[in-house]
Amino acid sequence: MSRLIVVSNRVSVPQAMGAAGAQGGLSVALSAALREHRGIWFGWSGKETESFTGHLDMQRNQDVTTATIDLEPQDIDEYYNGYANRTLWPLFHYRIDLTEYDRSFGEGYERVNARFADSVLPLIEPEDLVWVHDYHLLPLGAMLRDKGVTNRMGLFLHIPWPPTRLFVSLPNHEQLVESMLQYDLIGFQTEEWLDSFTHYIKKEAGLKVDADGLIQYGDRRIRACAFPIGIDYEEFVDSAWSDVAVEGCKRLKESLGHGRKMLIGVDRLDYSKGLGERFDSFGRFLTDNPEMAKDVVLLQIAPPSREDVESYQLIRHDLERKAGHINGAHADVAWVPIRYVNRGYPREELAGFYRAADIGLVTPLRDGMNLVAKEYVAAQDESDPGVLILSRFAGAAPQMPDAVLVNPHSTEEVSDAIRLALHMPLAERRRRHQALLQSVRESDVVHWREAFVRALEGPIAEIGRDAA
Ligand code: ADQ
């Protein structure tokens, strides 16, 4: 079996996994992939250094070697807070209104990708497969090719790929996509994001995509495919029935008071997750259903993220204001409708909280996949499961048609869905849950990793490599 060199912006040392706090979906998924694969995980340590040295901090934990570099403050500013999180993230989540185009961001992005390429190069052996992750590192493959790397290289994008008409607003979009065509395999979360990419390739780049889905770029053939990511199902179910989870579930249920139902939302505090719209919808539900209002509580867990970026500070203020407003309008002495908590929880405790909730409210405005929806399903008690309300605009939606699918922009629709879910008979809850559980179990992270690595090793990727 070939060794795997995984490259991502941040690296999580595997032993710390059990105590995951507000860990992003990417690191949760990769930890599971690396637990079984020999190889090296390379990326930024998350630490700052006064001036870049390229020093590699190598560690070995549970058969996984991690190698990290520190970055300069200017790198973090321009590459991470700048191009990645002020330019690409909003644009790829269709938020052109929040997208900032600043030449220094683009320069920082190029510089850091070049630093990644220089630093990871000595770690790559001839037979290794190189698997690069996400929007932080789109040009890395091309930079490695320039340094003579002929290995098979794949890219997996964890976030959506935007429609062509939005994407072309990015200065230098042509060069960015051209650099991506140095990978042999490009993976997307869903057919929808893949279609958007293929549309750009045909209509803007003027390239041919053959009947097998291979992009023809000069002598190269590049495979672009959808590989929907999943959760580590076995691990999550174990967590969900651990003592910590059972205790967390019990404690939360007791805190609600007799007969009261709970809705749960768990998200990084990010504008793509639709938290403001979710609060508005819940407020609408309370107003439209006064007879039920005092019997429900929304628990929203949202640890802050990317706090150096202004749009994240603004959304935080906006949500505090909304929660305060709704609570002020509806609460009474013994009941507050929204419990809004800005911190992360260990996975086991979180799994218990999911099970305590009668409704999982997962309503992103746009999301590459969304693992919270899958975790909510996996944590339920099969004999008395809760109902998943899921945004149509989450990448998970096509795989989860038995959720109550909603348009998160419509407060009426979400409010109606909450009412429907609260009244849903047990038999229907069970039927929907069984169907969802089957999809979460079958499309888990192991399946995802194997499918991607198989495609990267397979004959299609070979065509790309031979032509490189
Ligand atoms: P994220 O945008 O981070 O990931 P998501 O897929 O929902 O979104 O993953 C979030 C993860 O963080 C989940 O595993 C969740 O349990 C955990 N988490 C969130 N809040 C937490 C809290 N308060 N305490 C503890 N854990 C918490 C990106 C893309 C997604 C894509 C993933 C994986 O934006 O669309 O699904 O990568 O590819």
Side-chain angles (χ1 to χ4, degrees):
M1 190 177 20
S2 304
R3 228 169 50 128
L4 205 53
I5 305 288
V6 171
V7 188
S8 60
N9 171 51
R10 290 290 300 274
V11 172
S12 291
V13 177
Q15 67 190 11
M17 284 293 134
Q23 229 170 7
L26 170 61
S27 49
V28 172
L30 279 186
S31 67
L34 280 157
R35 217 166 273 143
E36 286 185 25
H37 245 277
R38 233 162 36 89
I40 301 178
W41 189 0
F42 172 85
W44 174 35
S45 60
K47 291 187 208 135
E48 252 181 53
T49 179
E50 207 172 302
S51 66
F52 182 74
T53 61
H55 169 74
L56 282 177
D57 180 9
M58 308 275 300
Q59 293 188 36
R60 191 162 170 80
N61 295 281
Q62 298 172 9
D63 287 339
V64 179
T65 305
T66 53
T68 54
I69 50 171
D70 300 343
L71 293 176
E72 290 175 14
Q74 191 184 350
D75 291 340
I76 299 167
D77 232 39
E78 295 174 351
Y79 149 80
Y80 181 68
N81 290 323
Y83 202 74
N85 288 332
R86 284 183 156 96
T87 308
L88 295 182
W89 177 273
L91 179 63
F92 281 37
H93 287 87
Y94 299 34
R95 292 298 302 269
I96 195 165
D97 56 319
L98 297 177
T99 306
E100 296 172 48
Y101 304 103
D102 185 313
R103 197 169 282 171
S104 71
F105 293 171
E107 288 163 5
Y109 186 72
E110 291 282 313
R111 183 177 64 249
V112 172
N113 269 271
R115 289 182 165 173
F116 265 59
D118 286 335
S119 307
V120 76
L121 186 66
L123 302 176
I124 302 173
E125 293 173 6
E127 295 307 315
D128 290 348
L129 300 172
V130 180
W131 187 3
V132 176
H133 288 263
D134 232 358
Y135 59 103
H136 312 87
L137 301 172
L138 302 180
L140 181 68
M143 291 180 179
L144 288 171
R145 290 271 183 251
D146 285 346
K147 293 177 188 303
V149 172
T150 56
N151 298 52
R152 291 179 195 182
M153 292 200 284
L155 169 76
F156 183 79
L157 186 68
H158 290 256
I159 65 175
W161 185 271
T164 300
R165 285 194 175 84
L166 293 184
F167 183 63
V168 294
S169 68
L170 182 72
N172 301 326
H173 58 88
E174 301 91 341
Q175 286 92 323
L176 192 67
V177 171
E178 202 179 327
S179 71
M180 288 170 66
L181 298 177
Q182 293 301 323
Y183 291 103
D184 300 300
L185 176 66
I186 305 177
F188 297 91
Q189 299 271 25
T190 67
E191 293 291 336
E192 186 177 350
W193 320 138
L194 172 63
D195 283 351
S196 298
F197 182 73
T198 309
H199 181 271
Y200 177 92
I201 288 292
K202 290 183 188 162
K203 303 286 179 196
E204 279 292 321
L207 298 177
K208 287 214 165 64
V209 180
D210 73 15
D212 293 329
L214 289 174
I215 300 166
Q216 303 183 22
Y217 176 54
D219 294 338
R220 296 182 51 75
R221 301 284 178 276
I222 299 102
R223 171 64 117 181
C225 264
F227 299 93
I229 201 168
I231 60 168
D232 189 343
Y233 178 79
E234 301 292 342
E235 184 256 8
F236 202 81
V237 170
D238 285 350
S239 299
W241 293 97
S242 64
D243 292 347
V244 173
V246 170
E247 177 55 31
C249 177
K250 185 163 154 265
R251 193 160 44 89
L252 191 50
K253 278 194 161 169
E254 282 169 3
S255 77
L256 292 174
H258 185 66
R260 205 163 262 154
K261 306 259 183 174
M262 185 176 80
L263 295 77
I264 194 168
V266 174
D267 312 77
R268 273 187 310 99
L269 215 165
D270 192 296
Y271 48 79
S272 67
K273 304 292 181 185
L275 295 167
E277 290 76 2
R278 190 179 305 169
F279 283 6
D280 287 342
S281 300
F282 185 63
R284 169 126 207 174
F285 170 81
L286 297 175
T287 305
D288 289 354
N289 300 275
E291 73 293 351
M292 296 169 77
K294 297 231 168 357
D295 293 329
V296 290
V297 167
L298 168 62
L299 170 62
Q300 177 63 55
I301 299 178
S305 66
R306 304 176 191 167
E307 290 173 279
D308 293 334
V309 178
E310 196 194 359
S311 46
Y312 287 76
Q313 296 159 8
L314 294 177
I315 186 187
R316 187 165 182 181
H317 290 141
D318 188 41
L319 288 171
E320 278 163 11
R321 194 181 48 76
K322 278 196 169 143
H325 181 73
I326 294 170
N327 281 341
H330 295 275
D332 72 19
V333 289
W335 166 75
V336 174
I338 301 183
R339 295 185 189 177
Y340 179 40
V341 185
N342 287 132
R343 55 163 283 202
Y345 285 89
R347 298 181 68 63
E348 292 185 339
E349 212 171 347
L350 198 61
F353 295 167
Y354 285 138
R355 193 167 51 254
D358 301 277
I359 297 176
L361 203 48
V362 183
T363 53
L365 304 181
R366 200 63 61 178
D367 215 332
M369 174 55 60
N370 194 296
L371 295 178
V372 169
K374 298 185 174 186
E375 291 169 358
Y376 177 76
V377 168
Q380 296 307 300
D381 177 350
E382 288 186 50
S383 65
D384 186 16
V387 179
L388 175 66
I389 297 180
L390 178 62
S391 162
R392 296 179 182 284
F393 307 131
Q399 286 183 308
M400 306 183 93
D402 288 283
V404 177
L405 294 178
V406 292
N407 174 353
H409 296 281
S410 165
T411 52
E412 287 104 329
E413 201 177 314
V414 178
S415 164
D416 288 351
I418 294 171
R419 195 173 50 239
L420 177 87
L422 288 171
H423 287 305
M424 193 178 284
L426 178 62
E428 186 176 350
R429 280 192 278 129
R430 278 193 185 157
R431 183 191 59 71
R432 286 179 183 254
H433 179 254
Q434 278 307 314
L436 291 169
L437 196 63
Q438 186 180 353
S439 140
V440 172
R441 190 170 46 221
E442 286 172 2
S443 311
D444 71 348
V445 76
V446 178
H447 176 86
W448 168 75
R449 179 203 65 211
E450 287 177 355
F452 191 92
V453 172
R454 211 170 31 244
L456 188 56
E457 286 178 315
I460 301 296
E462 204 166 80
I463 297 171
R465 190 198 32 181
D466 289 344

